[in-house]
Amino acid sequence: MFLASDNTSGACPEVMAAVQRANDGYARGYGADEIMARVTRHLRDLFEAPEAVVHLVATGTAANSLALATLSQPWQGIFCHRHAHIAEDECGAPEFFSNGAKLVLVEGAHGKMTPDALEATIASTGVGGVHGVQRGPVSITNVTEAGTVYQTDEIAALTARARYHGLPCHLDGARFANALVATGASAAEMTWKAGIDAVSFGGTKNGCLAVEAVVIFDPAKDWEFQLRRKRGGHLVSKNRFLAAQMEGYLEDGAWLRHAAHANAMAARLATGLAGKAGVEQRHPVQANMMFPEWPEGTHERLEAAGAVYYRFPAATGREAARLVTSWSTGPEDIDRFLAAF
Ligand SMILES: Cc1ncc(COP(=O)(O)O)c(C=O)c1O
């Protein structure tokens, strides 16, 4: 009953097998390996973007920070939701890697920016001439930090406001696969067809050991991204092992199968909880993460039964749980949790 995060699960068999295969013999370092060439082709096909820039890093924080640094200038603001991972959970890395771009926070219920809130925030930024930060990229997270999912038209509505002001757009896709299976969209529809310029394509949370791809749709950004990655200490010398993880992850649709499973386990849990007295979901459950609140004493009972998850203070004075399912969550784990409840 490890529901604290999707990173509490191990790596999936497809990824482990690919890493084991990659361990045979020798390969060029720093991304010049053959597996990387295949992964680049695979991701370009997947995104229907034959020219896209594709590079790998080991953490989502590095993927987001390096992508945003490539899209911004140090004197700009990066617009994101108030509770975005880049704002709350990356220790200032986007500001650090961008040489000081400032995160400008946008309001919105259930982890989602609304186009009007984004527009208002953009409109009030960069109006003080040389004295204030200038307008810079917009960063959108899907699946959001509240476990909700933007449909592709909602992403397009946000990027349209950004475009109007000439601003580029980034997608934090740490849970990209979960968002894709939740919406039924293709990778292209979720990104460049909806106005996204760069995406952090997550692998770790959905079955990899430690790998995320950065995909940038403007090939002119390639060299700059490579220099930033090296300078930032995120060019991995034995890149073949990052590439192997990504290859195993993508092969035969493993990534979508695992995300569909994680989402289905969350749906099973949410359905089970919906039948229990006093349970309230703080946000709609749309992918593999939920934030239920429940009556006094329940946390203690669940923890005593072996459930592991984070608690968050809620506005109601109670504590909400954060429950995250993963590729390896079994239906029996969910049923045990519900029985312990
Ligand atoms: C929305 C989101 N973005 C990015 C990340 C990646 O973070 P890390 O640097 O821990 O791999 C996470 C992980 O919690 C996340 O939830």
Side-chain angles (χ1 to χ4, degrees), residues 43-53 188 192 215 217:
L43 282 171
R44 285 175 173 167
D45 286 349
L46 178 67
F47 280 95
E48 302 167 48
E51 309 269 285
V53 178
W192 64 269
V215 180
F217 298 109

Side-chain angles (χ1 to χ4, degrees), residues 62-308:
N64 288 340
S65 301
L66 292 168
L68 286 166
T70 304
L71 295 182
S72 65
Q73 297 292 337
W75 48 84
Q76 290 179 339
I78 296 170
F79 299 97
C80 64
H81 190 272
R82 169 169 296 286
H83 298 301
H85 197 267
I86 60 170
E88 293 196 337
D89 296 294
E90 298 189 356
C91 196
E95 294 92 327
F96 174 73
F97 279 95
S98 63
N99 272 324
K102 176 181 176 176
L103 298 190
V104 183
L105 307 181
V106 180
E107 303 295 337
H110 305 307
K112 290 161 91 167
M113 295 184 282
T114 62
D116 286 348
L118 177 62
E119 175 71 46
T121 312
I122 293 173
S124 62
T125 302
V127 292
V130 76
H131 302 286
V133 292
Q134 305 300 299
R135 296 164 182 168
V138 174
S139 181
I140 302 166
T141 314
N142 214 14
V143 174
T144 73
E145 290 76 2
T148 52
V149 174
Y150 287 102
Q151 298 295 321
T152 54
D153 60 340
E154 295 177 292
I155 294 178
L158 292 171
T159 64
R161 303 295 175 104
R163 280 285 158 246
Y164 177 79
H165 295 280
L167 308 177
C169 296
H170 163 254
L171 187 80
D172 176 352
R175 297 186 178 85
F176 190 79
N178 303 88
L180 274 199
V181 298
T183 57
S186 71
E189 286 164 350
M190 179 73 73
T191 57
W192 64 269
K193 287 186 179 175
I196 296 293
D197 298 282
V199 52
S200 305
F201 176 86
T204 308
K205 291 183 187 305
N206 191 32
C208 294
L209 292 154
V211 70
E212 319 277 309
V214 175
V215 180
I216 305 176
F217 298 109
D218 176 3
K221 298 285 187 193
D222 190 17
W223 186 233
E224 177 180 340
F225 183 87
Q226 290 198 53
L227 294 173
R228 287 185 182 280
R229 181 179 58 161
K230 175 65 187 177
R231 185 175 155 85
H234 280 281
L235 175 57
V236 173
S237 104
K238 286 189 179 174
N239 182 87
R240 72 167 134 158
F241 292 112
L242 296 190
Q245 293 175 61
M246 191 51 77
E247 184 160 64
Y249 181 64
L250 296 173
E251 237 164 39
D252 302 326
W255 64 298
L256 292 174
R257 237 181 5 258
H258 291 319
H261 173 81
N263 287 9
M265 289 303 101
R268 184 184 185 104
L269 180 53
T271 304
L273 288 174
K276 310 271 186 201
V279 175
E280 264 176 69
Q281 292 284 356
R282 239 208 270 180
H283 308 294
V285 180
Q286 296 174 336
N288 68 324
M289 182 159 58
M290 69 195 73
F291 295 83
E293 292 176 31
W294 39 50
E296 277 304 290
T298 308
H299 289 298
E300 288 71 20
R301 194 167 61 252
L302 287 166
E303 285 164 0
V308 179

